[in-house]
Amino acid sequence: MIRWTIFLLFFLIIDIYAFQSLKTLSKNPWVQGPYWLLTFLVIGNFVFHYYGFNRRDGFSHAHSYAFGFFIALLIPKMILFIIMFGEDVFRVPQAIFRYFTEGETAKGNYFASRRQFISKLAMGIAAIPFGAIIYGIYKGKYNYKVFEYTLQFEDLPLAFDGYQITQISDIHSGSFDNMDKVAYAVDLINEQHSDAILFTGDMVNNKAEEMKPYIDIFSRLQAKDGLYSVLGNHDYGDYIHWDSEEAKTKNLEYLKAIQKEIGFDLLLNENRFLERQGERIALIGVENWGAGGFKKAGDLKKAVRSVEKNDFKILMSHDPSHWEKEVINDNNHFHLTLSGHTHGMQFGIEIPGWFKWSPVKWRYKYWAGIYEELGQYINVNRGFGYLAFPGRVGIWPEITVIKLKKGTANA
């Protein structure tokens, strides 16, 4: 209760300042009324869904949208607060100085109404993230982008020169609310005509049954050399309450069965060889291994059994922290690692090929796109779906297409 009281007081202080900006521009009750009505509805809905909320009881669409609309309201108001409060920081000392130097002649002026252009500036700036967040909730979460990369390796077997893989990650099927958009994305994956499709974990949020409505759609995925997958941290069902360990185990087994029904060859600390014209590359898949308290079921040594040191290796590992902590410095040379997990935080600014930024960079060193260390590469997929916040702002859902070329320079 104390936590919620502090939260409401915090929001009230922000709102008082934010309202000053609107009040300066319009004193019309037909403008101010809807402002407060919207505020009470969004905050009330948020409190209704999250008061007493326990993540282990599950996270519904209603929870997701309550959180999303709260963020859409909070961030613009915080911007208004910062600008209007910042004005006070400069104007109040100035007003006090004028009062003591000008005396009664300054009366009524030192706490004068805020200047309109400051309020207009604040409202204009705040409108940008508000519009972006609403767009992200309405359309951004299904604004699928195809990211294409060409990577060259001196020791790539000649038979695999030009070999193309499509990577998807973090489906999070329990968050979807538009089956047609998902079907469109699956068709977009097939349109890449890749030799293999690799899925790097988090098919569901918590329960295997979340994927059931989408089995037929994802069963349409096709690739000449097959579909391969690994598990992500959400696939184990660790984040919700189960009636028994048996129920949790059955859920994971059901998810494995669903993946098989779709056509995925699930690699559980295992490997497969893709062969062409008497040459081969090793496809290695580990279970989830994550730093910072995440599940560490991945066993790299077990996964590379029967793989020779000079084999060309593609590793599928859900969490990029695994690459940083274990893979890079392993005695084996893993030419290419494919990960996901970060979602790019579903929020950021990105101009492909020029600039990318997201707050998630403060948590993960490798959070989106291609990175190289010690002659080894990782691609961190931005995710196919979304989780918690029901949208994406600036960091769009991703389908990665990687072409392998024999050579010495990467482009």
Side-chain angles (χ1 to χ4, degrees):
M1 186 63 185
I2 294 176
R3 181 180 61 182
W4 280 99
T5 301
I6 294 172
F7 160 76
L8 292 173
L9 285 174
F10 169 75
F11 199 90
L12 178 61
I13 292 170
I14 290 176
D15 228 329
I16 289 172
Y17 268 92
F19 181 64
Q20 294 304 311
S21 181
L22 177 68
K23 187 178 178 181
T24 302
L25 297 178
S26 176
K27 293 180 173 57
N28 189 329
W30 291 102
V31 174
Q32 296 180 6
Y35 171 91
W36 288 114
L37 178 61
L38 177 64
T39 297
F40 287 129
L41 286 174
V42 171
I43 297 300
N45 187 50
F46 181 78
V47 173
F48 174 78
H49 283 97
Y50 284 94
Y51 185 79
F53 172 73
N54 187 330
R55 181 182 178 183
R56 295 188 69 83
D57 293 331
F59 193 83
S60 67
H61 283 97
H63 286 101
S64 180
Y65 278 99
F67 176 68
F69 289 128
F70 170 71
I71 293 297
L73 198 66
L74 175 64
I75 292 180
K77 290 192 177 190
M78 285 187 69
I79 291 173
L80 291 172
F81 168 78
I82 291 169
I83 294 175
M84 304 309 284
F85 181 77
E87 185 194 15
D88 277 352
V89 169
F90 288 100
R91 293 184 69 214
V92 170
Q94 183 184 37
I96 293 172
F97 176 78
R98 288 186 60 197
Y99 176 74
F100 284 105
T101 57
E102 300 177 27
E104 289 298 315
T105 59
K107 188 176 181 179
N109 292 326
Y110 60 94
F111 280 125
S113 298
R114 300 183 188 278
R115 290 170 293 182
Q116 281 201 0
F117 84 91
I118 292 292
S119 295
K120 288 179 180 178
L121 175 66
M123 294 290 283
I125 295 174
I128 296 172
F130 178 76
I133 293 170
I134 294 300
Y135 174 83
I137 293 173
Y138 179 59
K139 278 194 170 182
K141 60 191 175 186
Y142 296 121
N143 186 24
Y144 295 99
K145 300 296 182 184
V146 177
F147 286 76
E148 298 180 280
Y149 304 100
T150 298
L151 297 179
Q152 301 192 16
F153 303 89
E154 286 187 54
D155 53 350
L156 178 71
L158 186 60
F160 287 88
D161 185 27
Y163 195 83
Q164 183 170 292
I165 58 179
T166 290
Q167 179 199 3
I168 56 174
S169 191
D170 299 270
I171 290 173
H172 287 288
S173 56
S175 298
F176 291 143
D177 56 12
N178 190 320
M179 194 168 290
D180 290 338
K181 295 293 186 181
V182 177
Y184 159 78
V186 168
D187 290 340
L188 187 59
I189 293 169
N190 282 334
E191 287 173 13
Q192 307 312 309
H193 301 293
S194 290
D195 296 292
I197 295 174
L198 310 181
F199 169 62
T200 47
D202 277 2
M203 182 165 279
V204 297
N205 294 342
N206 295 298
K207 295 184 176 181
E209 65 187 30
E210 297 166 12
M211 193 64 186
K212 192 173 180 180
Y214 300 94
I215 291 175
D216 288 344
I217 292 175
F218 281 90
S219 293
R220 302 202 312 239
L221 289 172
Q222 293 182 342
K224 181 169 57 177
D225 289 343
L227 285 57
Y228 301 88
S229 64
V230 294
L231 296 175
N233 54 300
H234 280 266
D235 293 324
Y236 296 91
D238 287 340
Y239 302 127
I240 61 169
H241 174 75
W242 297 95
D243 293 334
S244 65
E245 277 299 314
E246 182 184 8
K248 182 180 177 182
T249 300
K250 285 180 66 175
N251 175 74
L252 181 56
E253 292 305 312
Y254 182 34
L255 181 62
K256 292 176 182 177
I258 287 175
Q259 293 214 22
K260 185 176 181 180
E261 183 177 351
I262 290 172
F264 282 109
D265 183 357
L266 178 61
L267 304 183
L268 301 169
N269 297 321
E270 300 172 276
N271 62 75
R272 304 286 186 269
F273 289 104
L274 305 176
E275 299 185 356
R276 280 189 171 186
Q277 301 171 22
E279 296 184 301
R280 70 183 190 179
I281 60 177
L283 181 60
I284 302 155
V286 295
E287 294 196 49
N288 191 79
W289 192 105
F294 287 101
K295 193 179 193 75
K296 292 180 172 62
D299 187 335
L300 201 56
K301 286 183 170 51
K302 181 180 177 183
V304 296
R305 287 176 185 170
S306 77
V307 176
E308 297 179 4
K309 200 170 186 65
N310 63 346
D311 280 323
F312 186 92
K313 305 173 191 70
I314 298 176
L315 173 67
M316 301 166 63
S317 180
H318 177 70
D319 192 319
S321 66
H322 187 214
W323 191 67
E324 178 184 2
K325 303 295 183 182
E326 287 201 340
V327 176
I328 295 174
N329 296 309
D330 190 87
N331 289 331
N332 286 284
H333 182 86
F334 294 92
H335 298 75
L336 174 62
T337 297
L338 303 176
S339 297
H341 182 64
T342 72
H343 299 206
M345 201 176 165
Q346 297 168 213
F347 175 84
I349 302 170
E350 185 166 13
I351 304 173
W354 291 89
F355 176 80
K356 65 180 178 184
W357 176 88
S358 169
V360 78
K361 67 176 291 184
W362 298 322
R363 172 65 176 84
Y364 290 96
K365 183 178 180 180
Y366 311 103
W367 60 273
I370 297 284
Y371 302 87
E372 185 268 336
E373 296 283 353
L374 302 176
Q376 301 169 89
Y377 294 86
I378 185 173
N379 180 64
V380 184
N381 184 284
R382 294 159 181 82
F384 184 92
Y386 52 94
L387 179 68
F389 175 67
R392 284 178 174 266
V393 180
I395 304 294
W396 312 120
E398 174 178 351
I399 297 164
T400 311
V401 177
I402 299 176
K403 182 170 288 188
L404 306 179
K405 294 290 291 181
K406 190 172 181 64
T408 57
N410 280 297

